[in-house]
Amino acid sequence: MSAETAHTTRPDMIVCENVDKWFGDFQALKGVTATIAEQEVVVVLGPSGSGKSTWIRCINRLEAHEKGTIVVDGVELTNDLRNIEKIRSEVGMVFQQFNLFPHITVLDNVTLAPKWVRKMPKAEAENKAKELLEMVGIPEQASKYPGQLSGGQQQRVAIARALAMEPRIMLFDEPTSALDPEMIKEVLDVMRDLALGGMTMMVVTHEMGFAREVADRIFFLESGEIVEEGTPEHFFTNPTEDRTKLFLSQIL
Amino acid sequence: MNEPATIKVESRPKEPSRTPREWIRKNLFSNTPNTILTFIFGAISIYAIRELLGFILSGERRWGAVATNMRLLMAQGYPANQFVRVWFTLGCLMALSGLSLATWRASGRLSLGKISTWTMNLGGGLALFAILAPISWASRLGWIIAAALFLLVGLSMWFGLRDSEKRFSGSVPTVWFTYGFLGVLVLSLWTVPYGHYAFVDGELIAETGRTVAMSTKLPFTVMWLILVGSYLIGTQVRQWIPIGRTKAVLIGLWFLSPFVLNWIVLRDPDFDYAHIASTDIPLALMFAIGGGLVLYLLSKPDLGEIGRIVAIIFLIFAIFNWVAAFFGWYPMLQKVRISFVLLALAALVAPNFAADKKTRLRFVASWIGLIAVSHWLITAINSPSTLKLQGPTYLGGFSLTLFVAVLTLLLSFPLGVLLALGRTSTMPIARVLSTAYIESIRGVPLITILFFFSNILPLFLPEGMEIAELAAIVTGYTLFSAAYLAENVRGGLQSVMRGQYEAADAIGLTTSQRTGFIVIPQALRVSIPPLVGQAIGVFKETSLVAIVGAFDLLRIAAYVVPSQTEFLGVKREGLLLISVIYFIVAFSMSKYSQKLEERVGLGER
Ligand SMILES: Nc1ncnc2c1ncn2[C@@H]1O[C@H](COP(=O)(O)OP(=O)(O)OP(=O)(O)O)[C@@H](O)[C@H]1O
Ligand SMILES: [Mg+2]
């Protein structure tokens, strides 16, 4: 599916309009405006410190933006706790450092939220968790503790944990940056399957291969601004902005 | 990737066991300084042991003072005809222990190698005793024979049980070993004439008469049977009832047991039935029904912000009630104040149960249970005791020490965690209040607080608000220890990574769920060593309750026994004995904490 069709035929999932975000006196996001449609996969690129994490974390309100509006699946993000709870149970997030809960087993990591937020019966939650672990390729690790798994396995558990809430959107903040090269592929494979399955995804990554192959659209961020956006083809073959060209020349 | 199906670690080759000779060579005489140290230290220990044995076995010692007063030391003047209450209490604890051991499956096993080592150590200890103790040659011979016997058994186990690779393969369940050991102790009550002994010219002479130790042989046998029996029952229950449910019930029973056993079984409250019918029952019903309705409404799904606001208003109202109590503004029963606090806390957690009707009704049912239990307990605590003892409390001696320590720890634990959360919270009011509380309590000595609660506070309490003797002590001690506990927990809270909070938020947990499931468990795990250190401190410092007139172990040993006409001035014996008691309890706590650390360390790395 191409970006155009996705964009025109599907309803909007994430709408950001003129989003500003400050850390003290430092402005981390400057008038970020973007619309992401249902089932669309977007990749956010940009140099370190450009505000990629900040933007993606604003989408599920781990950070609060100060100006502009963010509407996720028809719900606007404000200080209203009810909206935040609603959004968080619909948006899954995967972190660079996995952030699994080290004191409970893998299975408990995955079933915790369905049991306590969705109030799902225990047996049902566990069956679902086992299905998800199967899907990410580690069904046999359910009873281990996170500390007993490899980095790649931990990140796949983190993906399963996010998916257990049956989110409509998945956010990934550099999911493979803390992994050894041989483990990166196993995580990217899971993400690719997810994208093919129709999940709306927003991915911050430095994996250009993944961006080129899976993304419907690419946003290029610098100093808190969206400098360029477009299909991977456009982005990698003839970017219009000088700053994009410079960035690409440095990493490719 | 292909992972093995289970964590099938190949059994690591065990280290070949070294012979004692190799061990001694390696650890004691490895080089010249080490050898010199060994000799110096050996000489000092031999001298110390000799002196200590000389002290213990000296003809001047009047161990009869301890043996005769054992009942006093354990339970002060608890009426002998009511002793069945003490045994009932102990029996309940035994039953709970047995069931818990079976439920949490004490799957540990003791290797036979270890047992043989212990046997040999015991033999060695006896031999040392036989050589160093100032006793007659005839009895020395007896001890030497006993020592040789143990050494022989240990050695033959050591050599007989090893396989060709010098490894031990056999083992026995730790639980059964412990039960066997306790069984032997109980059996010895029936056969060995413990009790009043005298040393005459280095000879051990049993005085005549029935001793305290022997009078307890039947009850202790029953205790042992209850322990073993409940363990066996527990192993059967495992197969019929889901383990999770048994665990939940047992944890609840453990938590309730000190309150029920202490304030109801041991204290034997003298209920005022007219007052109960006219006031207590209607009040409880009011809170159960009214509170239940409120909570049912508050757990309505999609209530959102309003629920939180109502809960906060409740909380402010509940706190205000306590402030008012101290100024005597609104006279009301203490029970009402406590119930409002409980209601506010329940209202705070109500959103967690906002689901289908069944969950909400179950939540309301737990509320009604909570009200029933708490009102009943408060009534029992506020009714006067039928027992009239010397001093302000109905308990004394070791039982007082134990109960004050256990209750204080049980109560100050949740309070300390709450205070720690308050101090690290983002809400300024909670932060300021907790910080002010912690800092002001830490600036006041425990003795002052105990004085305040047992002597001064009752004078200020408004009409209708009374506080029972031991309850005053425990309250004061709890408030004191919670402040220190809070600081230890705070250290743990600070060690929880920010990513953990973010991950919990990202999967949609509420703040209280995040705190309860993610933050506190990780924080407590880090705080185990300081918390256990504090628990040991709480246990030992219970001796300060003597300051408000209670007769604890130390006061009885140091002042009561030496003032008896029969044992005038006999002090050292009692002090030595209570040092041993304190040491055993404190050391067990420390050992247990090491085990706990190992166990919860599993998910770490
Ligand atoms: N909590 C914070 N307080 C203050 N400044 C912050 C905070 N978080 C981020 N910043 C600043 O905001 C800017 C954007 O940070 P952000 O983490 O979004 O960058 P990024 O594009 O994700 O970089 P990287 O590729 O290194 O992860 C940076 O300059 C950073 O220093
Ligand atoms: Mg980042």
Side-chain angles (χ1 to χ4, degrees), chain B residues 146-406:
Chain B
L149 221 61
F150 274 106
L151 281 173
L152 210 65
V153 171
L155 276 176
S156 51
M157 273 172 85
W158 177 274
F159 285 109
L161 293 172
R162 285 190 307 179
D163 61 22
S164 53
E165 285 159 58
K166 292 193 172 184
R167 281 191 282 126
F168 291 100
S169 40
S171 65
V172 292
T174 313
V175 176
W176 287 114
F177 182 80
T178 315
Y179 287 169
F181 180 70
L182 292 178
V184 169
L185 284 187
V186 169
L187 200 66
S188 77
L189 279 176
W190 291 88
T191 49
V192 180
Y194 288 107
H196 308 198
Y197 283 97
F199 279 88
V200 181
D201 301 331
E203 279 302 327
L204 207 58
I205 313 261
E207 281 175 13
T208 49
R210 216 165 101 89
T211 68
V212 176
M214 287 167 75
S215 73
T216 58
K217 61 187 171 190
L218 188 65
F220 268 122
T221 311
V222 175
M223 294 303 120
W224 186 79
L225 289 175
I226 292 177
L227 182 66
V228 176
S230 59
Y231 179 78
L232 290 176
I233 292 172
T235 50
Q236 293 308 305
V237 165
R238 285 181 72 93
Q239 293 155 14
W240 303 112
I241 301 173
I243 199 85
R245 185 164 303 168
T246 321
K247 280 183 185 173
V249 170
L250 279 176
I251 290 176
L253 286 177
W254 272 115
F255 191 84
L256 270 183
S257 63
F259 299 91
V260 175
L261 294 175
N262 188 26
W263 264 300
I264 293 171
V265 176
L266 286 177
R267 188 167 178 272
D268 189 22
D270 189 7
F271 288 116
D272 175 358
Y273 290 101
H275 186 264
I276 289 180
S278 69
T279 316
D280 294 307
I281 291 180
L283 207 62
L285 281 178
M286 211 178 77
F287 269 103
I289 296 169
L293 271 176
V294 169
L295 291 177
Y296 186 73
L297 290 179
L298 283 181
S299 63
K300 193 164 161 296
D302 304 323
L303 198 61
E305 201 76 330
I306 305 165
R308 283 173 230 258
I309 292 173
V310 173
I312 301 273
I313 291 175
F314 277 7
L315 194 63
I316 292 172
F317 178 67
I319 293 173
F320 172 76
N321 274 335
W322 284 95
V323 177
F326 282 95
F327 293 106
W329 288 340
Y330 297 101
M332 61 166 90
L333 287 175
Q334 197 179 353
K335 208 186 260 176
V336 179
R337 293 197 176 89
I338 294 176
S339 306
F340 273 124
V341 172
L342 292 179
L343 185 61
L345 293 179
L348 275 180
V349 299
N352 292 339
F353 299 90
D356 54 341
K357 207 165 168 177
K358 208 173 118 201
T359 317
R360 290 169 71 193
L361 285 177
R362 213 185 281 165
F363 176 52
V364 172
S366 341
W367 163 255
I368 293 174
L370 181 70
I371 282 297
V373 170
S374 60
H375 277 234
W376 182 50
L377 273 175
I378 298 170
T379 309
I381 291 171
N382 271 340
S383 305
S385 169
T386 53
L387 307 165
K388 291 280 167 276
L389 306 192
Q390 208 190 348
T393 60
Y394 53 91
L395 277 183
F398 187 55
S399 48
L400 174 75
T401 300
L402 213 55
F403 267 118
V404 170
V406 169

Side-chain angles (χ1 to χ4, degrees), chain A residues 21-24 26-29 44-57 63 96 173-174 177 204 206 221 223-224, chain B residues 498 502:
Chain A
K21 164 79 193 163
W22 280 270
F23 288 112
F26 175 78
Q27 188 169 5
L29 293 181
V44 182
L45 296 177
S48 181
S50 58
K52 306 182 296 291
S53 298
T54 307
W55 183 26
I56 199 171
R57 287 155 60 85
E63 305 282 2
Q96 181 177 354
D173 189 1
E174 305 201 28
S177 299
V204 175
H206 295 297
L221 222 61
S223 314
Chain B
R498 211 182 85 176
E502 289 178 352

Side-chain angles (χ1 to χ4, degrees), chain A residues 57 62 81 85 88 91 95 99-103 112-113 116-117 119 140-141 144-145 148 153 161 165 186, chain B residues 1 3-5 305 308 352 354-355 498-500 502-503 505-508 513 517-518 521-522 602-603 605:
Chain A
R57 287 155 60 85
L62 285 182
L81 281 176
E85 273 170 20
R88 286 198 177 143
V91 180
F95 300 86
N99 293 346
L100 291 178
F101 307 129
H103 61 296
L112 188 71
W116 289 94
V117 181
K119 317 281 181 198
E140 66 289 335
Q141 310 288 357
K144 282 197 194 173
Y145 286 89
Q148 297 169 312
Q153 291 171 331
R161 177 177 71 179
M165 287 292 284
E186 63 195 38
Chain B
M1 280 196 89
E3 285 88 1
E305 201 76 330
R308 283 173 230 258
N352 292 339
R498 211 182 85 176
Q500 294 290 311
E502 289 178 352
D505 285 341
I507 57 173
Q513 286 168 342
F517 295 143
I518 309 300
Q522 293 187 51
L602 187 57
R605 266 196 295 181

Side-chain angles (χ1 to χ4, degrees), chain A residues 114-182:
Chain A
K115 273 195 300 204
W116 289 94
V117 181
R118 288 247 186 276
K119 317 281 181 198
M120 199 185 275
K122 190 174 170 210
E124 193 186 328
E126 284 183 357
N127 282 337
K128 176 129 188 42
K130 284 179 185 149
E131 270 169 34
L132 284 169
L133 290 175
E134 180 98 48
M135 194 197 103
V136 298
I138 40 174
E140 66 289 335
Q141 310 288 357
S143 57
K144 282 197 194 173
Y145 286 89
Q148 297 169 312
L149 303 186
S150 74
Q153 291 171 331
Q154 290 193 45
Q155 193 60 296
R156 285 183 283 162
V157 173
I159 295 175
R161 177 177 71 179
L163 290 176
M165 287 292 284
E166 297 174 342
R168 306 193 53 184
I169 301 168
M170 284 285 282
L171 308 175
F172 294 84
D173 189 1
E174 305 201 28
T176 55
S177 299
L179 296 178
D180 292 339
E182 69 269 24

